Amino acid sequence: MKSRIKISVDAKRLAAGIARQIVEETHNGRLSCNSVLGEGTEFVIEIPVF
């Protein structure tokens, strides 16, 4: 059985903002999103290795 949790749009925006802040500001990385309607969404996190 597949369970689904409904999350409000506001909660998703808040989570995306927090993720961006952690990746980009804290780790000097890059967060990007690729989405194709009907196929899905891919989030890419790039963090430099020192």
Side-chain angles (χ1 to χ4, degrees):
M1 179 192 290
K2 199 177 202 182
S3 65
R4 291 188 159 219
I5 299 172
K6 291 194 176 200
I7 302 173
S8 73
V9 172
D10 289 336
K12 290 176 185 176
R13 286 183 185 144
L14 178 61
I18 293 169
R20 185 199 58 77
Q21 184 176 18
I22 292 170
V23 172
E24 294 181 359
E25 295 177 14
T26 304
H27 297 290
N28 295 316
R30 183 173 174 220
L31 176 65
S32 59
C33 174
N34 304 311
S35 184
V36 177
L37 186 62
E39 291 186 25
T41 302
E42 171 187 55
F43 290 90
V44 180
I45 299 172
E46 298 173 286
I47 298 175
V49 178
F50 296 99

